[in-house]
Amino acid sequence: MFAPERTEYDFSVWNWLYGPKVERFPNTGPDGPVRIRSVVLDMDTVVEIGAILKEWAGGTEPRYTVNGGSAYGDRDVSEAELDSLVAEDRARLIVTVNSPNLTPPQNGLVTFHSNPTVNVPSQVVRDKIVEKLQHNRPRVKWRLVTRLFPLVLPLVLAALWIWLEAVQPMPAPAHALGSVLIAAAFVVVARPIYNARHNTILGPGHRIRMESRAQTIARRADEKKNVKVAAITTLVTVPLTIILTSLFGFILR
């Protein structure tokens, strides 16, 4: 269940890094489409989402489509072909399903590119898909982060002012004037950033790994094993080196 608005994310650090977890489309009901954070996932998750849509549609097979955009036509791929898709095609993947068994017939749609959406006219099914996607690592929305860059200038000015106050205390009028000017600079710079906080439609879209879930698990297990070996080797060799060096120095005396 999602709150009707997403204002609870507006001032979160994670919201500035990743965008809101769930963002409703304007003027839609509780079972309407939502935008979600971009994440890094595997193709196994895509297939599982297709299975959820298939179950909701009463057994109708999901359709996997590579969005060709305005320059190229869309291209359908089978579930067996998903693992062979190149990174560019994975970034433009769409999963849809038609549900003729429902009255009236309804469609489900999950997009992975640009600003990912989940559009299923069933709140339970939609939330199930959103939850599955949110269990993956989020991607930073750098275009949201870059909005904060104008704050660097007033922050630098404030730091310089504090340093000047510490080095050379100023008269009360100068102190008051400087403080007011820096506060005004903050307001002028921060106000447009605050007003634009609801505009989070800035990508980057989900990224589907080239490796399968089993390959990812195996790779991470190898990485953990290598870290353990390196840690044990360090714990053994460092004290041993110190002892041998001390002993060798003692012998030379």
Side-chain angles (χ1 to χ4, degrees), residues 113-171:
H113 60 282
S114 186
N115 298 285
T117 60
V118 179
N119 185 3
V120 184
S122 167
Q123 187 173 358
V124 174
V125 176
R126 184 203 62 192
D127 292 0
K128 186 176 181 180
I129 293 174
V130 170
E131 183 179 4
K132 179 171 288 294
L133 287 168
Q134 288 181 343
H135 282 165
N136 297 278
R137 176 172 62 84
R139 299 184 69 188
V140 175
K141 279 193 171 184
W142 291 111
R143 292 180 67 183
L144 285 180
V145 177
T146 54
R147 286 180 180 172
L148 301 177
F149 286 176
L151 288 173
V152 172
L153 179 59
L155 286 173
V156 171
L157 291 176
L160 288 174
W161 183 253
I162 293 172
W163 177 75
L164 286 174
E165 287 271 24
V167 173
Q168 180 64 48
M170 298 185 181

Side-chain angles (χ1 to χ4, degrees), residues 12-82:
S12 166
V13 173
W14 307 124
N15 185 50
W16 284 110
L17 285 175
Y18 306 123
K21 285 184 177 180
V22 180
E23 182 178 9
R24 292 191 184 282
F25 283 77
N27 304 318
T28 57
D31 59 348
V34 293
R35 300 186 188 96
I36 62 172
R37 282 180 178 171
S38 300
V39 298
V40 180
L41 65 154
D42 48 50
M43 194 60 79
D44 301 78
T45 302
V46 177
V47 173
E48 290 168 357
I49 290 172
I52 294 173
L53 291 174
K54 178 179 179 179
E55 182 181 2
W56 168 74
T60 303
E61 292 293 333
R63 179 183 176 187
Y64 302 96
T65 305
V66 176
N67 181 17
S70 57
Y72 306 97
D74 295 346
R75 175 167 61 91
D76 289 346
V77 294
S78 65
E79 185 174 309
E81 296 175 300
L82 290 176

Side-chain angles (χ1 to χ4, degrees), residues 129-240:
I129 293 174
V130 170
E131 183 179 4
K132 179 171 288 294
L133 287 168
Q134 288 181 343
H135 282 165
N136 297 278
R137 176 172 62 84
R139 299 184 69 188
V140 175
K141 279 193 171 184
W142 291 111
R143 292 180 67 183
L144 285 180
V145 177
T146 54
R147 286 180 180 172
L148 301 177
F149 286 176
L151 288 173
V152 172
L153 179 59
L155 286 173
V156 171
L157 291 176
L160 288 174
W161 183 253
I162 293 172
W163 177 75
L164 286 174
E165 287 271 24
V167 173
Q168 180 64 48
M170 298 185 181
H175 172 79
L177 179 61
S179 300
V180 169
L181 290 176
I182 290 176
F186 266 110
V187 171
V188 170
V189 173
R191 186 173 182 80
I193 297 174
Y194 174 83
N195 291 336
R197 70 194 187 282
H198 288 296
N199 181 17
T200 58
I201 310 174
L202 299 171
H206 297 317
R207 180 170 67 83
I208 303 175
R209 297 187 187 94
M210 295 302 295
E211 59 185 8
S212 66
R213 184 177 301 170
Q215 291 172 328
T216 301
I217 293 173
R219 174 176 56 80
R220 290 175 178 172
D222 289 339
E223 290 173 352
K224 289 181 180 179
K225 186 187 300 182
N226 292 337
V227 169
K228 288 181 180 178
V229 171
I232 293 172
T233 302
T234 301
L235 290 174
V236 173
T237 55
V238 170
L240 185 60

